[in-house]
Structures are given as structure tokens and as C-alpha cells.
Amino acid sequence: KAGVTQTPRYLIKTRGQQVTLSCSPISGHRSVSWYQQTPGQGLQFLFEYFSETQRNKGNFPGRFSGRQFSNSRSEMNVSTLELGDSALYLCASSSSDSGEWTQYFGPGTRLTVL
Amino acid sequence: DQQVKQNSPSLSVQEGRISILNCDYTNSMFDYFLWYKKYPAEGPTFLISISSIKDKNEDGRFTVFLNKSAKHLSLHIVPSQPGDSAVYFCAASAFNNDMRFGAGTRLTVKP
């Protein structure tokens, strides 16, 4: 099986712009979670989608949003980018209906905001 | 490419006994290793870390051991408690670059 893929791998934006990141889960996985990883804050949970519905949400401002399509692919959008949004954004897919089972992480998208 | 592997998807132990979670890696450039703990419906939280200059780091009931020659690290929880039941992820990075995660091991501690 192919692993979790994320596109693009690297992205450079300027403040005020918006960005959309994409994640394709492992075939058959219906749960997709998004995380932000920064050196100072470590790994922080953004949100989880299951069957096109947001099931859980972390403590991030409304500028961060996401969605999931019927094929389980997920997109994350960040509007009005700020310098502090520079980070590695990871997505992880899971086969468990309850979302509590093991997660397979993608390689991440490195976002740099100038 | 799966540079960090947790070959046991699940582990079940009795309360009070030792839990040993294992993690193997392939990239010899990794110099920093972490363990995260994840409860259902929550994001992972940082648990304990170890730098490659050490072979052991201890924090209360949690101890991480690093065997660089075998490219293997393990997390020991002693004594195990029911509240430790969660999914544990190991992660590794090289020179403060992007982190690579294992798929996780689900630990169940039975009362």
C-alpha cells in the first residue's frame, strides 16, 4: 500500500496570503488528522476529519480550516498568513472508525511565511 | 520510506507490571528521539525525549533507552497504570530537521 502523501512538500508564502495544503491518506483509511509542528511548540493538534465531517478540533484560530472529500483526501487551509504560521504541517491517517488506533504520518508540508 | 518503525501495533500488560514499547529506525543521522502519548480524540502530547549523546533518560515512571548501534530505542513504564492506556508514538529527527514518526503502539494496561 502507498503511504500517506502530502502536497506540496515545501511552500513559501508572504504575510496576508492564504494557503491550501493537501493530504491523501492510505487507501481505505477514513480518518485524517492534521498537526502543526514547530521547534518551540512541538506537535500540536489542529483537527481530525472522518467521513467528510470534522470530528475533533484543537485550539487554533478560525484562520485554520479544513475539509475532507468523499475519497477521504483532505485539505487544510490557512487564511491571512502570519509569520508564526511557519511550521511543518503533518497529516496522519488512521483506519480506525473511532480514530483512536495507530496513525500513519505523512512526510509533511514545510510552510515558510515571509 | 518508513524510517521509524514500531513493529508492535498493540501491547497489553497488567497494572503494576512493566510496559516496554519498542521503536526501530533506519537513518543513522537521527540525533534526537521523542515519545508522544495519544489518547482517543486528542492530539499527541510530548512524553519524554533523548539525545543521541545519551543512552538513557529517566522521568518518573518513564525511561527511554537508546541503542545507537542497533538503531533501537525503547520506552519503559514502571509501574504501569490503567491511565497509561493510550497510543504511543516514537519520533526521530536529524540535526533539528523534520521529524519522522512511527505508526504507534496501542498500550492497554489492565487493572
Side-chain angles (χ1 to χ4, degrees):
Chain A
K1 273 186 181 179
V4 177
T5 57
Q6 291 187 246
T7 56
R9 292 294 312 278
Y10 301 92
L11 206 48
I12 299 175
K13 292 284 187 179
T14 56
R15 278 181 298 176
Q17 287 187 308
Q18 76 162 19
V19 67
T20 299
L21 313 181
S22 179
C23 171
S24 292
I26 290 173
S27 177
H29 285 191
R30 292 198 291 163
S31 169
V32 174
S33 298
W34 287 90
Y35 300 91
Q36 182 195 64
Q37 183 188 323
T38 58
Q41 300 293 323
L43 197 65
Q44 292 186 288
F45 173 66
L46 280 153
F47 29 65
E48 182 208 0
Y49 284 87
F50 179 78
S51 292
E52 302 179 64
T53 302
Q54 187 181 87
R55 183 157 67 177
N56 293 299
K57 189 175 187 302
N59 191 27
F60 274 80
R63 299 185 298 107
F64 292 82
S65 63
R67 58 178 176 168
Q68 187 179 33
F69 302 95
S70 58
N71 61 358
S72 293
R73 188 177 71 86
S74 177
E75 287 183 348
M76 189 192 89
N77 186 76
V78 187
S79 63
T80 320
L81 283 166
E82 301 176 359
L83 294 178
D85 298 332
S86 295
L88 180 71
Y89 290 88
L90 293 162
C91 91
S93 77
S94 169
S95 62
S96 163
D97 286 350
S98 65
E100 62 180 306
W101 199 240
T102 53
Q103 292 189 324
Y104 294 84
F105 285 83
T109 293
R110 169 68 65 183
L111 171 64
T112 302
V113 182
L114 303 175
Chain B
D1 62 341
Q2 199 71 14
Q3 296 185 43
V4 178
K5 295 180 182 178
Q6 293 176 259
N7 291 319
S8 299
S10 63
L11 174 69
S12 181
V13 300
Q14 208 66 36
E15 181 179 6
R17 307 294 289 267
I18 183 171
S19 294
I20 300 177
L21 298 107
N22 294 304
C23 179
D24 296 296
Y25 61 95
T26 56
N27 189 343
S28 58
M29 303 302 287
F30 286 146
D31 62 351
Y32 192 62
F33 306 87
L34 306 88
W35 283 94
Y36 285 86
K37 178 179 181 180
K38 181 185 180 301
Y39 290 114
E42 295 180 12
T45 56
F46 170 75
L47 189 60
I48 191 170
S49 64
I50 188 168
S51 151
S52 60
I53 62 172
K54 292 185 169 183
D55 54 17
K56 177 183 173 182
N57 189 26
E58 196 170 350
D59 184 2
R61 297 185 296 114
F62 302 90
T63 303
V64 56
F65 294 92
L66 175 63
N67 183 334
K68 289 186 288 292
S69 60
K71 295 192 182 68
H72 176 86
L73 67 155
S74 60
L75 174 69
H76 292 210
I77 306 174
V78 183
S80 301
Q81 299 172 353
D84 296 329
S85 296
V87 178
Y88 290 80
F89 295 95
C90 82
S93 70
F95 308 114
N96 207 29
N97 285 334
D98 298 346
M99 207 163 284
R100 293 287 178 259
F101 287 84
T105 296
R106 183 179 187 179
L107 172 66
T108 303
V109 180
K110 298 178 180 177

